[in-house]
Amino acid sequence: MNRINQKLKEDKKLLSIYFSAGYPSLNDTVSIIHNLEKNGVDMIEIGLPFSDPLADGPTIQASSTQALKNGMTTDTLFNQLKDIRQTVSIPLIIMGYFNPMLQYGVEAFCKKCQETGIDGLIIPDLPVDVYNDQYKATFEKYGLINVFLITPQTSVERINFIDSISNGFIYMVSSASVTGGNSGFGIAQTDYFKRIADMKLNNPQIIGFGISDNKTFTQATQYAKGAIIGSAFIKHLTNNGNTNIKAFTDTILN
């Protein structure tokens, strides 16, 4: 069974952390992963930096830009992660845009993910229909879960279609803004969380965007299986480097 599916079966609310590979320094990737696992994180989304990150807010954009300046590439990331499964057991997901994967070759990319021990991919700009028609078989061949995003504006029909072709979790974007926005969720967002929960989808939901502390983590996980934190963690890395990650995870989990 894929590690993502195993983790989703656990009787707890899940904390997933996103960071940009190669930030703050090029060779920080593996030690950040080790420190996150050691300090209670359930899943990790490793951002593959891209020069035109449309869905990312300023914090993640800046970290992605710096990672590219540091020399991060697709090959560099795979090389950094080549022995990761000797020491790390939690699910690892690569989140990135489709262009670098297309340039690498989709099948070659998926094969490399399998060899490295990557469990899934999040590709915000890969249309669901295109994935289903052209790439689903390739992802499944290499045991990769593809995670789709929904927003408050996604239609019921679209959500049901995404649910029908998913085999992991659905990434539920808390609002229609870019990452790193609000602090705290209002009535409209809470109603949206409840509305999706009431649909009783086959795949659990994990909520991202706007989660930065225990309050927002608790609000999000009241209606969902887990929550994803990106911008707040990257700010921690910016201010503290790859040290004292426990102080950050403690503010979320306690």
Side-chain angles (χ1 to χ4, degrees), residues 7 156 199 240:
K7 181 60 71 173
V156 170
M199 289 179 72
N240 303 281

Side-chain angles (χ1 to χ4, degrees), residues 1-230:
M1 182 187 287
N2 185 292
R3 293 178 195 89
I4 294 171
N5 297 123
Q6 289 177 325
K7 181 60 71 173
L8 291 168
K9 287 181 180 298
E10 292 183 13
D11 185 21
K12 61 176 293 196
K13 299 298 185 179
L14 304 181
L15 171 61
S16 182
I17 296 280
Y18 168 95
F19 74 98
S20 299
Y23 180 84
S25 300
L26 180 63
N27 294 314
D28 282 339
T29 309
V30 170
S31 59
I32 289 172
I33 292 169
H34 285 152
N35 284 333
L36 287 171
E37 180 177 47
K38 188 170 70 177
N39 289 294
V41 172
D42 297 292
M43 285 195 288
I44 298 173
E45 294 172 17
I46 305 161
L48 180 59
F50 182 52
S51 55
D52 190 21
L54 299 175
D56 298 325
T59 300
I60 292 178
Q61 278 194 24
S63 69
S64 187
T65 299
Q66 185 59 52
L68 291 171
K69 286 179 182 172
N70 291 344
M72 180 51 68
T73 66
T74 305
D75 277 325
T76 301
L77 178 58
F78 281 133
N79 193 49
Q80 288 180 347
L81 298 177
K82 67 181 188 299
D83 299 318
I84 197 72
R85 284 304 173 194
Q86 294 178 18
T87 51
V88 171
S89 61
I90 61 173
L92 299 176
I93 298 169
I94 289 179
M95 183 170 186
Y97 292 86
F98 193 50
N99 193 275
M101 299 175 194
L102 203 55
Q103 289 180 336
Y104 196 90
V106 175
E107 178 138 14
F109 189 91
C110 290
K111 185 171 187 286
K112 200 72 177 171
C113 284
Q114 184 188 53
E115 291 169 357
T116 308
I118 298 298
D119 303 292
L121 298 170
I122 302 173
I123 314 165
D125 61 337
L126 175 59
V128 179
D129 311 78
V130 173
Y131 165 78
N132 193 46
D133 293 343
Q134 299 181 31
Y135 300 112
K136 187 170 188 274
T138 304
F139 278 53
E140 290 177 348
K141 176 181 174 183
Y142 294 103
L144 294 169
I145 286 174
N146 193 28
V147 177
F148 298 103
L149 284 71
I150 64 170
T151 74
Q153 283 69 43
T154 307
S155 69
V156 170
E157 293 75 21
R158 195 71 167 169
I159 293 169
N160 283 323
F161 177 62
I162 286 170
D163 190 43
S164 73
I165 64 167
S166 296
N167 61 340
F169 66 91
I170 292 172
Y171 188 135
M172 202 168 142
V173 176
S174 67
S175 67
S177 63
V178 295
T179 58
N182 2 344
S183 56
F185 296 121
I187 293 170
Q189 286 166 309
T190 306
D191 287 349
Y192 159 59
F193 298 162
K194 186 175 186 305
R195 173 169 63 85
I196 302 301
D198 288 345
M199 289 179 72
K200 302 283 191 282
L201 300 173
N202 293 319
N203 294 271
Q205 300 88 57
I206 297 183
I207 296 174
F209 290 45
I211 296 156
S212 60
D213 53 21
N214 181 261
K215 177 188 171 187
T216 43
F217 179 79
T218 303
Q219 281 182 310
T221 55
Q222 181 181 352
Y223 295 104
K225 178 63 179 172
I228 300 158
I229 296 176

